[in-house]
Amino acid sequence: MQETAEQIFEIIKDYQCDYAERKFEITVEHIIAWANQFDDDADFVLKELLHFLPEIYISKEKAKNLLRTRLLEIQNFYGYKTMNEMVLNTHFFNLQKGYKSQSEILSIVDDILQSEFMVDYKESIDAPKTNFIYFDDVLATGGTVYKDLATWLETKGDGQNENYKAIINKSKTLAVSLFCYHSFGFSNMEWRLMKQFDDKIKKVLLVGTDYVVENHIKTKWIAEKQKLNCVYPIEDQSKSTMDYLSGLEAVNDSVPAFRPSNLPKKETFFSSPENRIKLENIFLEKGVELLGKVQTANPDKRKRPLGDTVRSHKTFGTGTLFFTWRNISNTCPLVFWWDVTGHNWLPLFCVKNRGI
């Protein structure tokens, strides 16, 4: 187990490296202590985590490389001869609160532009723009991105035309750049935008992403093509787990709580179909146990054993398996980030700027 923990450390050692108020540093000893909470399954959990971790962890250095590539792609796509020309005609949205991911991503973008292209986008921030780009790290349920884009689209732009009309007639462009999006959440975000504005929004919204969590099993023909590279359990569960599900007050059961046992068609993410089921069940049962310790009259209905989700969905949670150096998404299984006094649980990743 020591060797496995050391390999995991080499991947995630920069987690919250630039956050002075973090509760702890990632160490080999910390990784082992987290794993030991799974008792006899400790070694298995670490080995299975190591199997897919290199694919799903974005270090700060990797983030810089991805953002540099994205900027060059944007310049090329829009046909600008220089980065300075592209920046002069492009607005980078900064809509989220200061402690959220968007401002930190923009800080890296700013550093890349200034150090490598000698361009300060803040100098032309008030100039008229043609292209509008929304940077973020992870789109999970799609709620935040939808809200921010919808607010901007319905805002009056030049003259008396709403921004969405300018996007539709192509006098402006709108793009989203993400490290990762969930296929189901992204589909919901697109559907909500089309419902509110125009079906054409789907055709003119430009999207760049570096990783896709394929978790869309609501529609059968889509489900059969999905990797399901997330935690999505089958129906064969313990009584305590089934009791938890039946006790949810959520009313929307149109989103399946369980994946069909024959999906994915081919296992490409976990080390084997059997190990997928084993790890999913371990994380699910431990998450149910942790939530069972919550003692409050009004518990957060979004919080589920496998991570936050839409409160109306009668599911175990989003089950995100994707991490970045700056923080962990609350849509990841609770075992990775749960940190409540008195619950006697040590998270692998400490949570930044977010209450439990």
Side-chain angles (χ1 to χ4, degrees):
M1 193 161 73
Q2 176 76 24
E3 182 179 351
T4 306
E6 289 174 355
Q7 293 178 67
I8 289 174
F9 169 76
E10 288 302 317
I11 297 170
I12 65 174
K13 62 185 177 183
D14 77 333
Y15 182 71
Q16 293 190 357
C17 59
D18 46 9
Y19 181 52
E21 298 178 21
R22 59 182 169 177
K23 294 183 179 180
F24 50 77
E25 292 185 27
I26 296 291
T27 64
V28 173
E29 293 71 25
H30 173 78
I31 295 168
I32 293 175
W34 172 76
N36 280 334
Q37 296 171 119
F38 297 103
D39 301 321
D40 292 342
D41 292 315
D43 187 52
F44 167 77
V45 168
L46 285 188
K47 286 181 178 177
E48 195 63 22
L49 176 62
L50 179 60
H51 177 77
F52 52 74
L53 187 61
E55 184 179 354
I56 64 169
Y57 184 79
I58 302 293
S59 67
K60 188 171 184 179
E61 187 60 33
K62 184 175 182 179
K64 289 180 179 178
N65 291 335
L66 292 174
L67 289 170
R68 180 186 300 107
T69 299
R70 186 60 42 75
L71 287 169
L72 291 169
E73 288 173 348
I74 292 169
Q75 177 190 341
N76 181 65
F77 180 82
Y78 289 139
Y80 292 114
K81 295 180 179 180
T82 65
M83 187 63 68
N84 184 70
E85 185 181 6
M86 188 275 285
V87 170
L88 183 63
N89 289 280
T90 303
H91 176 75
F92 303 136
F93 287 111
N94 192 4
L95 304 174
Q96 298 177 2
K97 294 180 180 179
Y99 60 84
K100 302 286 279 186
S101 58
Q102 192 168 69
S103 61
E104 294 187 44
I105 292 172
L106 289 177
S107 177
I108 296 176
V109 168
D110 184 30
D111 179 66
I112 293 170
L113 289 173
Q114 293 204 49
S115 62
E116 300 184 29
F117 298 98
M118 310 307 168
V119 178
D120 185 349
Y121 79 85
K122 294 186 293 296
E123 290 182 351
S124 59
I125 200 166
D126 294 324
K129 306 293 184 181
T130 300
N131 313 304
F132 295 79
I133 300 176
Y134 186 100
F135 284 100
D136 206 354
D137 55 356
V138 180
L139 183 157
T141 63
T144 298
V145 178
Y146 160 74
K147 180 186 67 176
D148 288 344
L149 294 185
T151 299
W152 181 79
L153 285 166
E154 66 186 6
T155 300
K156 299 290 184 181
D158 299 332
Q160 294 300 310
N161 292 322
E162 293 89 348
N163 285 324
Y164 90 88
K165 290 184 179 178
I167 297 300
I168 295 301
N169 65 31
K170 299 183 180 181
S171 59
K172 293 180 179 178
T173 68
L174 178 62
V176 177
S177 173
L178 305 159
F179 291 138
C180 166
Y181 75 68
H182 294 56
S183 58
F184 185 57
F186 184 80
S187 176
N188 283 341
M189 184 271 293
E190 277 191 327
W191 178 81
R192 293 176 72 183
L193 287 176
M194 290 189 293
K195 184 177 180 181
Q196 181 172 345
F197 297 102
D198 193 308
D199 288 350
K200 295 177 183 177
I201 282 288
K202 182 176 182 178
K203 296 182 179 180
V204 296
L205 178 64
L206 306 171
V207 181
T209 189
D210 303 295
Y211 187 79
V212 177
V213 174
E214 298 183 9
N215 67 334
H216 195 323
I217 68 170
K218 184 177 179 179
T219 306
K220 183 178 179 180
W221 69 270
I222 297 178
E224 293 179 347
K225 300 179 181 179
Q226 297 282 284
K227 292 180 181 178
L228 298 180
N229 45 342
C230 56
V231 180
Y232 211 139
I234 59 175
E235 194 168 358
D236 184 16
Q237 298 297 328
S238 66
K239 182 179 183 303
S240 60
T241 297
M242 298 303 289
D243 287 345
Y244 167 83
L245 182 65
S246 63
L248 289 176
E249 296 179 4
V251 296
N252 185 353
D253 58 4
S254 65
V255 179
F258 304 101
R259 63 178 173 86
S261 59
N262 65 335
L263 294 181
K265 290 293 186 181
K266 181 180 180 181
E267 184 58 66
T268 60
F269 184 72
F270 292 86
S271 61
S272 71
E274 296 77 18
N275 285 346
R276 169 193 279 271
I277 292 173
K278 183 176 180 179
L279 191 70
E280 287 175 334
N281 291 350
I282 290 170
F283 286 175
L284 176 55
E285 291 184 12
K286 184 60 70 173
V288 170
E289 178 186 326
L290 292 173
L291 284 178
K293 297 179 180 181
V294 174
Q295 297 180 353
T296 178
N298 297 299
D300 186 348
K301 295 180 180 180
R302 290 178 56 92
K303 285 188 169 46
R304 308 289 172 82
L306 299 180
D308 284 25
T309 190
V310 179
R311 58 172 52 89
S312 65
H313 290 173
K314 197 163 187 172
T315 69
F316 293 106
T318 306
T320 300
L321 290 176
F322 186 83
F323 316 121
T324 73
W325 86 99
R326 60 164 302 276
N327 206 6
I328 179 170
S329 170
N330 56 10
T331 62
C332 294
L334 298 190
V335 294
F336 287 111
W337 58 271
W338 194 252
D339 186 12
V340 179
T341 302
H343 284 195
N344 194 30
W345 184 258
L346 177 71
L348 179 60
F349 299 106
C350 58
V351 177
K352 178 170 66 171
N353 295 320
R354 188 193 310 130
I356 299 297

